[in-house]
Amino acid sequence: MEIAIEYLNLYRTALKSAELAYAPYSKFRVGAALLLADGSVVTGVNVENRSFGLTNCAERSAIYAAVSSGVKEFKALAIATPDAEYPVSPCGACRQVISEFMDDSVPVVFGNSEKTLIQTSVSKLFPFDALHELSEH
Ligand code: THU
């Protein structure tokens, strides 16, 4: 799959950030990178807990970090799962959170390595999205 250079670079940033993952239980590191309107990037990693259900995925960590710094608009999302043998797409909970802040057409790139990158979109990951009318964003 041919991936635009800006998304490839975003993926490389996600891959680099995966080194910071806190994943002592699963040993499955994940890095996420969000492209902002001004070209800057916000990253996130999975942060696990010995009470397993408290784990926060990399995608949500990145989104929450961005929102915490005042940013709520995103141009693209990249996810790197270097410990997997195939590209791992966002979990269901993350898809819901992604849909809160990203329009249907926003590109999402994910892969365990550059060679297996997949590019999709928010609407493909989360079809039949609903309830946006409950907020005013
Ligand atoms: N994980 C993510 O951070 N993002 C994904 O897209 C898939 C799953 C994390 C959660 C947990 O720390 C580990 O990967 C194994 O599920």
Side-chain angles (χ1 to χ4, degrees):
M1 191 174 221
E2 193 63 43
I3 309 284
I5 186 69
E6 65 174 334
Y7 303 145
L8 185 59
N9 284 335
L10 191 66
Y11 173 78
R12 287 173 175 157
T13 302
L15 187 61
K16 181 79 189 145
S17 79
E19 291 169 17
L20 300 174
Y22 179 74
Y25 305 106
S26 71
K27 309 249 187 299
F28 189 88
R29 298 164 300 166
V30 186
L34 288 162
L35 182 62
L36 310 187
D38 67 359
S40 61
V41 173
V42 175
T43 60
V45 299
N46 53 330
V47 181
E48 298 186 345
N49 192 277
R50 61 186 183 275
S51 178
F52 298 157
L54 298 181
T55 291
N56 209 72
C57 294
E59 298 89 324
R60 276 177 289 149
S61 295
I63 291 169
Y64 296 158
V67 173
S68 300
S69 71
V71 178
K72 288 193 282 291
E73 217 184 291
F74 308 110
K75 298 291 172 205
L77 166 64
I79 304 149
T81 54
D83 299 322
E85 276 162 18
Y86 58 91
V88 174
S89 62
C91 78
C94 285
R95 292 178 196 213
Q96 180 73 52
V97 173
I98 289 166
S99 82
E100 183 77 19
F101 295 103
M102 287 171 236
D103 292 336
D104 277 357
S105 62
V106 169
V108 178
V109 173
F110 59 96
N112 54 316
S113 83
E114 268 186 36
K115 292 185 205 86
T116 58
L117 275 188
I118 291 173
Q119 182 173 334
T120 185
S121 66
V122 171
S123 64
K124 284 189 185 138
L125 286 172
F126 200 62
F128 303 106
D129 189 12
L131 297 177
H132 281 280
E133 66 279 11
L134 295 181
S135 82
E136 291 174 48
H137 67 262

